[in-house]
Amino acid sequence: MSTISRRHLAGLAAGLGLPLAARAQGNSAQGSQEGWRPTQTVRVVVPAAAAGTTDIMGRLLAAHLTQRWGQSAVVDNKSGAGGTLGTAEVARARPDGHTILLGNIGPQAIAYSLFRNLTYKAEQLLPVSNMIRGPNVLVVHPSLPVHTPQEFLAYLRANPGKLSYGTPGLGQSPHLSAVWYHQLTGTQATAVHYRGAGPAMVALVAGDVQFSFDNLTSAVEQVRAGRVRALGVTSAERNPQLPDLPAMRETLPALSRYEVNSWFGAFLPAGTPDAIVNALNAEIKVLLDMPETQRKFAEMGGVPSYGTPAQYAAFVRAETEKWGEVLKKEGLQLDAG
């Protein structure tokens, strides 16, 4: 899986690289040609392992910024503790525009209610813009004798506590997608936490775990290749990339309220000047407005999700409140680390 994922990432970069370079000359009014520019290498911190959606988005952004700003932008994977380790590092970074966080629903929304003793606070980060959103997908190892969500539920109930599922990290949306599923259906399984979506998928393909709820954007390649079997998506509606795959909530009365969407976007350390925030936001808009980007996102099962800094900040607050209520109701809270 690791080799395939690297090829997939290389294909994304190659598919976007030349059009980005071509557009760089004609987008001075739209981008940051007259605004702030970095004066040294820009570090895009990805608080997850390689091959997951957070990593894919970080690499697309880094490649785009390198070409647009004429200054190197590099990805720095800082995985661990459900994305909170990398987030904490950015929260402590100098607010000079040279350190960017490619965050997601886990450490930027769920973590504030899940963990008791986080080493950072929401106000230490400035939301810049969302980039992509999409559902999670329930995937199983092909050896599991199930082909529908109904059969999967029956199998879980016939084998209480005997199955294990992989997650990309404690507190990430794939983890809580499973937690919420088990709560609603009254089932049990053992969570096995990995440092990112890539390692979790490697474990599933190898049969080390029997199922997982993964971001569709990072799992769709393995689904299409037949290495894992997809049973349903966590969004309210079916996904155009896998139209025959049902939404989980449409398959069982117990899941009528079940809806989860993951999202991935950029943050800067608090105190970063508005000129820098606006320059990064403008470049993200250029990237997301490109037909090439929209086509690639569609292939991944996601949709572009641009927002102004104010819009993104309001969205992140709403997501934080939503998951806070869910976690409180479920009585789930952990010590960070």
Side-chain angles (χ1 to χ4, degrees):
M1 183 274 179
S2 298
T3 301
I4 294 171
S5 295
R6 284 194 294 270
R7 187 182 303 120
H8 181 56
L9 288 172
L12 287 173
L16 289 172
L18 289 178
L20 285 173
R23 286 197 175 203
Q25 298 178 3
N27 272 323
S28 59
Q30 192 174 9
S32 61
Q33 301 291 330
E34 299 177 357
W36 178 85
R37 290 293 193 92
T39 58
Q40 62 191 59
T41 297
V42 174
R43 189 166 62 112
V44 180
V45 175
V46 170
T53 308
T54 313
D55 183 65
I56 292 172
M57 291 301 102
R59 294 183 187 280
L60 289 179
L61 181 60
H64 176 71
L65 295 180
T66 295
Q67 294 176 0
R68 294 281 293 182
W69 281 344
Q71 183 69 256
S72 294
V74 298
V75 168
D76 187 3
N77 293 91
K78 294 287 185 179
S79 62
T84 64
L85 293 182
T87 297
E89 183 169 322
V90 176
R92 297 189 298 265
R94 293 181 59 185
D96 59 5
H98 294 97
T99 303
I100 300 169
L101 173 69
L102 205 300
N104 63 68
I105 186 176
Q108 272 58 74
I110 295 171
Y112 297 116
S113 296
L114 179 63
F115 296 116
R116 298 185 184 91
N117 53 345
L118 277 180
T119 57
Y120 62 90
K121 298 180 180 179
E123 53 266 31
Q124 290 180 266
L125 296 167
L126 287 176
V128 179
S129 175
N130 207 357
M131 289 182 63
I132 190 173
R133 61 179 172 81
N136 293 330
V137 58
L138 171 59
V139 286
V140 302
H141 189 270
S143 65
L144 217 62
V146 298
H147 293 81
T148 67
Q150 294 90 337
E151 291 178 353
F152 177 72
L153 178 58
Y155 192 79
L156 274 178
R157 286 176 170 167
N159 297 275
K162 295 182 180 179
L163 275 67
S164 60
Y165 64 95
T167 86
L170 193 68
Q172 296 284 341
S173 73
H175 173 215
L176 291 192
S177 292
V179 169
W180 196 14
Y181 174 89
H182 292 311
Q183 291 291 333
L184 292 173
T185 59
T187 54
Q188 296 178 351
T190 301
V192 181
H193 303 295
Y194 295 90
R195 286 179 173 265
M201 181 58 76
V202 169
L204 179 61
V205 171
D208 296 334
V209 294
Q210 288 74 55
F211 71 96
S212 70
F213 286 84
D214 193 11
N215 302 141
L216 179 59
T217 47
S218 56
V220 67
E221 178 186 4
Q222 305 300 332
V223 172
R224 288 171 175 155
R227 296 182 180 88
V228 297
R229 180 184 302 134
L231 303 184
V233 293
T234 64
S235 52
E237 307 295 338
R238 297 190 179 207
N239 188 275
Q241 289 302 302
L242 298 170
D244 294 333
L245 205 63
M248 297 292 291
R249 64 186 298 171
E250 75 182 56
T251 64
L252 298 162
L255 299 177
S256 61
R257 298 185 293 113
Y258 191 71
E259 180 183 1
V260 182
N261 284 288
S262 293
W263 46 267
F264 306 81
F267 296 77
L268 288 167
T272 301
D274 289 345
I276 299 175
V277 176
N278 293 335
L280 178 57
N281 179 274
E283 288 303 340
I284 291 174
K285 188 175 191 306
V286 171
L287 175 61
L288 300 187
D289 282 347
M290 293 177 61
E292 294 87 356
T293 302
Q294 295 171 10
R295 176 176 57 83
K296 290 296 182 182
F297 281 14
E299 291 174 356
M300 294 165 61
V303 296
S305 188
Y306 168 79
T308 65
Q311 290 170 335
Y312 191 36
F315 171 79
V316 172
R317 285 195 299 271
E319 284 286 279
T320 302
E321 292 172 1
K322 167 189 172 181
W323 285 107
E325 293 175 1
V326 170
L327 288 165
K328 182 178 180 181
K329 183 177 181 180
E330 301 298 333
L332 180 60
Q333 195 173 47
L334 306 167
D335 289 325

